Amino acid sequence: MDGARGTGSNLMYYFLALFTGVLITVMVTFNGGLTETHGLYSATVIIHTVGLAAVSSLLLFKRESPFTREGKRPPRYLYLSGTVGLLTVLLTNYAFGNISVSSILALGLFGQSLSGIAVDQFGLFGMKKYPFNARKCIGLSFMFAGVIVMVSDFNNPNALLAAAAAFATGISIVTCRVLNARLAAHIGTRRGVFFTHITGLAVAIPILLLFGRGEAGIHFNYVFTPSFYIYIGGLLGVAVIMTDNITAVRIPAFYLSLLLFVGQVSSALAADFIIDRSLNPYNIAGVTLVALGLGLNVFTEKRR
């Protein structure tokens, strides 16, 4: 019975990771609309402000102080998750326009996969160790074949740098996810999300002032669009971090990256079909291969 309960619990976390991938797709879509309306740096400040307001309201509702310290002080580097999250945004936006979205997703997955294996193998940042097993190589070959299928365009002169940025995005995503999870383990999920947004906003505002010239935000004269939904990306970001914190300590970092990827691409394909009645065959083939490789590795782990 205990084994059955454990298997069911693991499946629940796997489905939660897939759902988080869907949330990320919706969040990225809303944030993209916000960036088009207000500019990259202004949108970054708005996203962090909305997220900070949301988590502050939640702390107030729960009557919790974000500054209450219980037990041992967490390592200071864990508070850098908000800064790493900003780096992810900047890298992703640099890659956009130079290579296709599917290439960005695929190369980001490649970066997440390798950094996830490193986190699992060595227990980086205090995470639980999941030693690499040679039996995973068969599943890995399917996953990387899926990545290759989705990488389609490198004709742009800046494509190589954009590809490097997309790959680095995968590393920063895993780093941010692990830092968030470890910080939440020390001070609680809600407090962890609060400090993630505080540090992110503390860096986003100076970046806006330095590089945001020409954007509406630099003059503080925003004209808000009636499309109100584009402003809730920060709220969805809070939800993503919270669900990430739940799954990151229960699923190997490598598997979590793959599950989030499958959830993201599957929901993006569904959205394309609903809106445009079109499907990208390369994306379908790529995500199918990644999902197949993931399934083979999970099956191998359970057999072992």
Side-chain angles (χ1 to χ4, degrees):
M1 288 293 292
D2 289 339
R5 248 194 320 268
T7 302
S9 178
N10 287 339
L11 286 174
M12 180 186 71
Y13 294 127
Y14 279 37
F15 281 117
L16 181 59
L18 287 170
F19 175 71
T20 304
V22 176
L23 275 182
I24 291 172
T25 298
V26 178
M27 178 188 72
V28 168
T29 302
F30 289 174
N31 289 347
L34 189 66
T35 300
E36 288 181 357
T37 302
H38 295 292
L40 169 61
Y41 304 111
S42 299
T44 304
V45 171
I46 294 173
I47 290 165
H48 282 80
T49 302
V50 171
L52 182 60
V55 72
S56 298
S57 300
L58 185 58
L59 285 168
L60 185 63
F61 177 75
K62 292 288 185 178
R63 296 184 179 179
E64 294 179 12
S65 169
F67 304 103
T68 301
R69 186 161 62 89
E70 299 172 0
K72 189 177 179 181
R73 184 191 299 271
R76 291 182 179 177
Y77 68 83
L78 295 181
Y79 291 96
L80 294 175
S81 58
T83 305
V84 177
L86 269 180
L87 177 63
T88 302
V89 173
L90 294 174
L91 288 170
T92 302
N93 280 276
Y94 175 78
F96 275 130
N98 291 307
I99 56 177
S100 65
V101 175
S102 60
S103 295
I104 293 172
L105 285 172
L107 290 164
L109 172 65
F110 188 41
Q112 287 186 60
S113 300
L114 294 184
S115 52
I117 289 173
V119 169
D120 291 339
Q121 178 69 29
F122 302 107
L124 300 179
F125 305 109
M127 296 296 284
K128 183 179 178 180
K129 289 185 178 181
Y130 295 92
F132 183 80
N133 188 285
R135 296 179 182 180
K136 293 180 180 179
C137 289
I138 297 176
L140 278 173
S141 63
F142 279 94
M143 297 172 201
F144 293 137
V147 170
I148 292 170
V149 167
M150 293 183 68
V151 175
S152 57
D153 54 338
F154 284 96
N155 299 322
N156 190 303
N158 297 321
L160 191 58
L161 284 176
F167 176 80
T169 297
I171 298 174
S172 66
I173 287 171
V174 171
T175 303
C176 185
R177 183 185 305 144
V178 171
L179 292 176
N180 278 328
R182 293 301 300 151
L183 183 61
H186 279 85
I187 65 175
T189 296
R190 288 182 288 272
R191 292 190 183 111
V193 177
F194 176 84
F195 282 107
T196 294
H197 282 81
I198 282 285
T199 55
L201 189 59
V203 177
I205 291 175
I207 288 177
L208 169 64
L209 296 174
L210 286 172
F211 304 108
R213 300 188 184 282
E215 291 187 4
I218 201 68
H219 306 296
F220 302 99
N221 59 344
Y222 288 110
V223 177
F224 292 100
T225 173
S227 303
F228 67 91
Y229 58 86
I230 67 173
Y231 297 101
I232 66 173
L235 178 61
L236 294 177
V238 171
V240 166
I241 295 174
M242 287 185 169
T243 53
D244 258 349
N245 288 344
I246 295 171
T247 53
V249 294
R250 293 173 175 85
I251 300 175
F254 175 63
Y255 286 166
L256 181 56
S257 295
L258 296 175
L259 287 163
L260 291 171
F261 172 80
V262 171
Q264 282 179 263
V265 179
S266 299
S267 55
L269 286 170
D272 286 342
F273 180 73
I274 293 171
I275 296 171
D276 300 325
R277 296 294 176 183
S278 64
L279 290 173
N280 186 321
Y282 293 104
N283 287 356
I284 294 173
V287 75
T288 301
L289 286 169
V290 170
L292 180 59
L294 173 63
L296 283 172
N297 273 353
V298 171
F299 177 75
T300 301
E301 284 291 319
K302 291 192 176 298
R303 287 290 299 274
R304 190 164 65 90

